[in-house]
Amino acid sequence: AFEDYLGKKGLYKQMEHILIRNGIDLHGCTITSLASGTCALESSILRRHQGIKKMICVEFSKHRIIEIAPRILKYYNIDPNQIELCVGSFYNLRIKDNSLDFVMLSQAFHHAADPEKLLSEAKRVLKQDGKIIIIGEHYFKPMEVFKRTIKHVIKWITNYKQQRKKTGFYPSWQYLFPPSKEKGDIHYSHNQYKQLFKKSELKYKRFIFRDIKNQAFFLEVLSENDLENDGVK
């Protein structure tokens, strides 16, 4: 049942799609997975990419990373020398500067209260040509955005339940798609993702998976030429 659940989430599908589309071979790579949870996805990656040199999994929940993750890794026969389980915060990684080939965030980026700090820390531990892969981000289809916008406009015009005191005629993305207190999810528009990446001096590719209402991003550090052409300097 657990494997079926993960299959429906399509996380491994997103990861493989990004790797294939960008011609990436994980052989010999050192990777960290931030907010890795129980390491279910990480087990799938290590099983299918046995040439990975090392995967460092960072998770703040001791229950998930200390009690559950080892059982999952054992179940999938993952070589314990290939993986390191760490309790900690993804804002303060106890990893050397410029030491990793990839930083991976699966269903994690939208939980960050300070995404700029998270991206800064990810950049710090990456090698000069390192990459960041973000998967499992929420995606809202254009029709859903349209419906919510029309609903808001009607409420605003009729001043339903004093709507005009709550927001202006043009609603923000966070007003249309408010954060989930229960799940800790923060929903971003494409433009908000774009601005976050630009501020962190990262160039990106976006991948949309409409069937599972997810999107993913492949990030690289901007070169000096990129910065000059983009007008950052």
Side-chain angles (χ1 to χ4, degrees):
F2 184 55
E3 288 176 336
D4 288 343
Y5 169 78
L6 289 173
K8 290 177 182 177
K9 286 289 185 180
L11 298 173
Y12 185 77
K13 169 187 173 182
Q14 294 176 49
M15 184 70 178
E16 283 298 290
H17 182 83
I18 290 174
L19 294 178
I20 292 170
R21 287 289 299 273
N22 291 282
I24 294 171
D25 182 1
L26 297 180
H27 186 85
C29 290
T30 303
I31 304 167
T32 186
S33 175
L34 305 182
S36 57
T38 59
C39 296
L41 173 64
E42 290 72 13
S43 295
S44 295
I45 294 170
L46 287 167
R47 272 194 306 159
R48 293 176 172 89
H49 298 271
Q50 296 183 6
I52 291 174
K53 182 179 180 180
K54 188 84 171 182
M55 181 178 284
I56 303 168
C57 298
V58 180
E59 168 62 38
F60 79 96
S61 169
K62 292 182 180 180
H63 174 66
R64 292 176 181 174
I65 199 73
I66 299 299
E67 296 180 30
I68 302 178
R71 293 164 60 189
I72 291 179
L73 294 168
K74 184 177 180 180
Y75 175 79
Y76 288 116
N77 296 316
I78 303 301
D79 182 355
N81 294 317
Q82 254 190 315
I83 194 163
E84 184 177 346
L85 305 179
C86 305
V87 177
S89 166
F90 54 26
Y91 295 125
N92 184 25
L93 302 174
R94 295 188 291 274
I95 299 173
K96 293 181 180 179
D97 294 359
N98 313 118
S99 60
L100 302 177
D101 298 292
F102 287 93
V103 171
M104 184 176 77
L105 288 144
S106 172
Q107 291 185 311
F109 188 79
H110 57 261
H111 288 297
D114 191 343
E116 290 182 32
K117 185 175 181 180
L118 172 56
L119 291 172
S120 175
E121 186 67 350
K123 280 180 62 180
R124 179 186 68 78
V125 299
L126 279 177
K127 294 178 181 177
Q128 189 174 3
D129 59 348
K131 313 289 189 294
I132 300 172
I133 295 177
I134 299 175
I135 61 176
E137 293 295 291
H138 302 295
Y139 172 73
F140 298 99
K141 295 180 180 180
M143 183 54 70
E144 178 65 19
V145 179
F146 177 74
K147 287 179 179 179
R148 294 199 184 200
T149 302
I150 292 298
K151 187 176 181 180
H152 161 76
V153 169
I154 293 171
K155 285 183 177 181
W156 195 90
I157 291 173
T158 60
N159 201 24
Y160 177 74
K161 292 186 177 181
Q162 301 297 308
Q163 182 78 353
R164 295 178 189 176
K165 290 184 178 180
K166 300 175 185 178
T167 183
F169 181 76
Y170 298 102
S172 67
W173 185 267
Q174 271 63 41
Y175 189 85
L176 293 178
F177 300 94
S180 169
K181 293 181 180 180
E182 180 182 344
K183 297 180 179 179
D185 293 343
I186 301 172
H187 304 123
Y188 299 108
S189 67
H190 180 202
N191 188 57
Q192 287 172 328
Y193 279 112
K194 180 179 179 180
Q195 292 306 315
L196 281 169
F197 300 150
K198 183 177 180 180
K199 195 169 184 179
S200 298
E201 297 184 359
L202 293 163
K203 58 182 177 181
Y204 77 97
K205 294 179 184 177
R206 183 189 188 210
F207 302 88
I208 298 174
F209 303 88
R210 291 180 174 83
D211 56 331
I212 52 177
K213 297 181 179 179
N214 266 194
Q215 59 184 322
F217 299 93
F218 178 73
L219 311 177
E220 299 177 89
V221 178
L222 288 170
S223 66
E224 290 295 321
N225 288 335
D226 291 327
L227 290 171
E228 290 175 1
N229 294 335
D230 199 38
V232 175
K233 281 194 172 182

